Amino acid sequence: DSGVTQTPKHLITATGQRVTLRCSPRSGDLSVYWYQQSLDQGLQFLIQYYNGEERAKGNILERFSAQQFPDLHSELNLSSLELGDSALYFCASSVSLAVQETQYFGPGTRLLVL
Amino acid sequence: AQKITQTQPGMFVQEKEAVTLDCTYDTSDPSYGLFWYKQPSSGEMIFLIYQGSYDQQNATEGRYSLNFQKARKSANLVISASQLGDSAMYFCAMREGSQGAQKLVFGQGTRLTINP
């Protein structure tokens, strides 16, 4: 158990819908990262927050947004869902921004868009 | 350009044998970190081992060790005395030290199967 929690574990929804994925980082970790794992794209970085502020953006679609709240939990919002958004979404956390800091991953949310 | 390359899509190894999973990387940043993660069939990503670009010695964590060859830009994972529970996908990842480059960049992974 990494200490990072994600809810829900599984999500099945229809095209055009909107979903929210939730992540609670490890106790004491200030930085939260979101990654998407799909069969065709592999593991890709989406976005990072540090102590409530957005710090880095990757290949995140405009239909996707995220935020980190004062209690440091984070939410990833996916809207106007398409079939291709079906993937495993991971949240990870680390204590700081240092290059040597390990990112610990949550169990992931498996999203299926029908 | 591919920053992390894992050239072995799949590997099959006999139980109790040692196995080496290959990883090469590409960066011009002098400060970087290399990570290996294990992803079993259940899907979670489990951190295994870390090697920093300035580390003088190869990292070791129990049965895991990293064969770090900086000049060749390779960071191969060595698993000694493999066990059935080692069957999983293994990902090599890099984090660069440049300001703002906070993400992990992953390779495509190697699927390791341990045969009894």
Side-chain angles (χ1 to χ4, degrees):
Chain A
D1 187 346
S2 67
V4 180
T5 61
Q6 287 187 250
T7 56
K9 281 192 167 45
H10 301 275
L11 202 46
I12 301 175
T13 188
T15 54
Q17 294 298 305
R18 172 189 167 95
V19 297
T20 298
L21 313 184
R22 183 188 167 104
C23 166
S24 292
R26 294 187 322 154
S27 177
D29 285 0
L30 298 178
S31 193
V32 168
Y33 312 78
W34 287 97
Y35 293 86
Q36 179 195 59
Q37 185 179 31
S38 61
L39 283 174
D40 53 345
Q41 299 287 335
L43 265 157
Q44 291 213 315
F45 168 74
L46 295 178
I47 197 165
Q48 181 217 357
Y49 283 83
Y50 179 78
N51 204 18
E53 292 188 6
E54 182 186 304
R55 289 299 300 257
K57 256 185 175 178
N59 299 324
I60 187 166
L61 299 170
E62 282 192 15
R63 300 184 284 108
F64 295 2
S65 65
Q67 57 184 127
Q68 187 180 26
F69 295 87
D71 67 352
L72 300 178
H73 91 271
S74 177
E75 292 181 357
L76 179 66
N77 300 297
L78 316 177
S79 62
S80 303
L81 284 166
E82 301 175 0
L83 296 178
D85 297 327
S86 295
L88 185 52
Y89 291 84
F90 285 109
C91 168
S93 73
S94 67
V95 171
S96 72
L97 304 175
V99 69
Q100 70 269 24
E101 283 291 341
T102 297
Q103 292 182 24
Y104 291 93
F105 282 70
T109 293
R110 199 172 292 273
L111 174 66
L112 180 59
V113 182
L114 300 175
Chain B
Q2 195 78 317
K3 289 214 171 211
I4 296 285
T5 303
Q6 295 181 254
T7 56
Q8 307 150 311
M11 285 196 69
F12 295 84
V13 172
Q14 212 63 26
E15 191 180 7
K16 297 180 186 173
E17 287 183 354
V19 55
T20 297
L21 305 182
D22 295 341
C23 172
T24 57
Y25 59 92
D26 183 26
T27 181
S28 56
D29 197 321
S31 175
Y32 55 89
L34 296 158
F35 301 81
W36 277 91
Y37 288 85
K38 172 184 177 182
Q39 186 177 37
S41 57
S42 50
E44 71 267 33
M45 293 286 287
I46 302 166
F47 165 71
L48 295 178
I49 195 166
Y50 162 80
Q51 181 83 46
S53 59
Y54 295 119
D55 292 345
Q56 296 296 312
Q57 294 192 323
N58 287 340
T60 60
E61 285 286 349
R63 293 186 300 114
Y64 303 109
S65 61
L66 224 152
N67 184 0
F68 181 46
Q69 298 189 44
K70 196 170 181 177
R72 292 186 177 184
K73 293 188 176 178
S74 75
N76 299 338
L77 177 69
V78 180
I79 306 175
S80 63
S82 58
Q83 302 170 357
L84 296 179
D86 294 332
S87 294
M89 281 289 287
Y90 288 80
F91 291 95
C92 179
M94 178 172 65
R95 187 176 187 183
E96 294 168 303
S98 304
Q99 193 172 8
Q102 308 295 335
K103 63 185 178 183
L104 281 173
V105 176
F106 285 86
Q108 289 300 104
T110 295
R111 183 171 298 279
L112 176 64
T113 303
I114 308 298
N115 296 315

